[in-house]
Amino acid sequence: MKTAKTIAIAIPKGGVGKTTTAVNLAASLAVFEKRTLLIDTDPFGACSLSLGYTKEKTKGGLYEVFNFVYAMNQVIHRTELAFLDFIPTNVRTDVQEERLARLSENRTMLKNTLRAVLPHYDYIIIDTPPVLRGMTTNALTCADSVLIPLKPGHFSLEALDKLFKFLEWVHEAANRNLVVEGILQTMYEPKTKVTEITDRELQLRFRKHQFRTIIPKNTSLTEASFYGRPSVLFNAQSKGSLAYLALAEELIQKHQAQAQAEIPQDIQEKTA
Ligand code: ATP
Ligand code: MG
């Protein structure tokens, strides 16, 4: 049975565009009519805000799923886009945040609870908090791949090293099948010294992982999140919206090519 491709958006650095990428990539995949589910695993709840989901409109989320109050399919929320669904974290108090942190020490929790909804989607995009434990470990344990947003700068490159070390551990201990989907440059400002140094370092050490698409610095993306809408529904012609649509297209084409490359191999195996 064909099931969703699950992509975790992760890097242990705050403010580099993880949530912006998760929301706008998920929305862009939905624009291309891919059945997409966005899952927020960050108790901060920024995905909810970016999609206009206030606490009053939220029926439940990962918090209830991890506490066995609801099953995953009972906390799926619809969005303005027909092909985009959403699962919030729904953490409302510090006590709940602490409890969720404790429950997420079981790194297979998300994987086990998500299994039943996999066949209903083409893509599942998981936003993570800027740490390498708990919910992020859960996301990396159940994902097929990890997409790494990178804002130009020294500390982002340090975070990248830290993440790659952590991915080695995940690969050994938690998820043999996890691959790097790619490194996505975000908030990109050409012709600055910092961008030049980051570009050089990426070319030197991570070239094979770089996406063709680059997300430029674009204030429209921030404005859209204030209005509680994905950028493509706020200003479809903005550079930010167009860049995330291009990223979705790049991913879809890559996955189609990979699927096609697998067919002859299957046939060969069957006929061998
Ligand atoms: P955290 O780890 O704290 O959750 P994050 O990595 O999820 O942070 P975001 O919340 O996506 O980062 O982005 C941080 C800020 O930068 C937000 O105000 C967001 O609107 C803004 N931002 C994100 N991408 C861009 C961009 N391409 N151009 C301009 N601003 C951006
Ligand atoms: Mg975030």
Side-chain angles (χ1 to χ4, degrees):
M1 193 185 0
K2 191 181 174 299
T3 66
K5 194 158 192 73
T6 305
I7 305 176
I9 314 288
I11 186 164
K13 171 98 179 75
V16 296
K18 286 185 295 301
T19 301
T20 307
T21 298
V23 169
N24 290 294
L25 171 61
S28 300
L29 289 165
V31 168
F32 285 107
E33 303 195 340
K34 297 291 173 192
R35 295 165 306 161
T36 305
L37 174 66
L38 171 67
I39 303 179
D40 191 1
T41 66
D42 188 345
F44 186 69
C47 286
S48 291
L49 299 174
S50 304
L51 289 175
Y53 262 108
T54 55
K55 288 194 167 45
E56 299 74 50
K57 285 198 219 163
T58 305
K59 297 177 300 191
L62 283 189
Y63 182 73
E64 284 78 7
V65 174
F66 276 43
N67 278 292
F68 300 110
V69 175
Y70 290 137
M72 199 63 98
N73 63 348
Q74 292 175 296
V75 294
I76 293 174
H77 293 63
R78 306 300 310 276
T79 72
E80 281 184 88
L81 288 160
F83 283 79
L84 179 63
D85 288 346
F86 170 56
I87 294 180
T89 331
N90 199 31
V91 163
R92 293 168 187 239
T93 63
D94 290 348
V95 175
Q96 287 185 344
E97 184 171 339
E98 254 174 54
R99 181 162 170 78
L100 187 64
R102 259 204 322 279
L103 291 166
S104 67
E105 281 166 20
N106 174 355
R107 63 174 182 249
T108 59
M109 198 69 176
L110 186 61
K111 182 177 175 166
N112 293 338
T113 50
L114 194 59
R115 198 165 285 144
V117 305
L118 290 178
H120 304 296
Y121 293 98
D122 299 309
Y123 283 99
I124 295 181
I125 305 295
I126 309 177
D127 188 23
T128 65
V131 292
L132 295 179
R133 61 182 134 81
M135 277 301 194
T136 307
T137 313
N138 264 269
L140 294 172
T141 300
C142 76
D144 297 305
S145 64
V146 53
L147 188 156
I148 308 164
L150 191 95
K151 178 182 167 181
H154 172 59
F155 293 117
S156 291
L157 286 167
E158 265 185 20
L160 196 57
D161 283 331
K162 213 165 136 187
L163 176 63
F164 270 84
K165 274 209 185 79
F166 189 68
L167 291 177
E168 275 176 33
W169 174 83
V170 172
H171 206 250
E172 280 301 309
N175 183 359
R176 270 244 142 250
N177 301 320
L178 184 73
V179 297
V180 175
E181 193 69 61
I183 297 171
L184 175 71
Q185 295 216 61
T186 62
M187 300 185 222
Y188 191 86
E189 284 182 287
K191 298 192 188 109
T192 69
K193 195 80 198 152
V194 173
T195 304
E196 246 173 58
I197 294 168
T198 309
D199 274 344
R200 201 178 328 126
E201 193 78 2
L202 284 177
Q203 280 291 321
L204 211 63
R205 298 177 46 213
F206 298 100
R207 195 173 172 177
K208 68 171 182 178
H209 291 307
Q210 272 188 278
F211 279 109
R212 209 170 51 234
T213 306
I214 286 173
I215 310 296
K217 188 165 184 185
N218 180 243
T219 48
S220 186
L221 289 165
T222 311
E223 279 175 50
S225 69
F226 274 115
Y227 284 90
R229 305 190 84 187
S231 186
V232 73
L233 291 181
F234 175 73
N235 181 355
Q237 292 307 317
S238 71
K239 281 192 178 146
S241 297
L242 295 175
Y244 277 110
L245 285 166
L247 176 66
E249 203 173 10
E250 182 177 346
L251 271 180
I252 292 167
Q253 281 173 0
K254 177 173 133 186
H255 295 152
Q256 274 169 354
Q258 283 171 351
Q260 261 159 15
E262 276 167 20
I263 292 170
Q265 210 180 329
D266 279 347
I267 293 169
Q268 276 170 27
E269 277 166 16
K270 277 185 196 138
T271 52

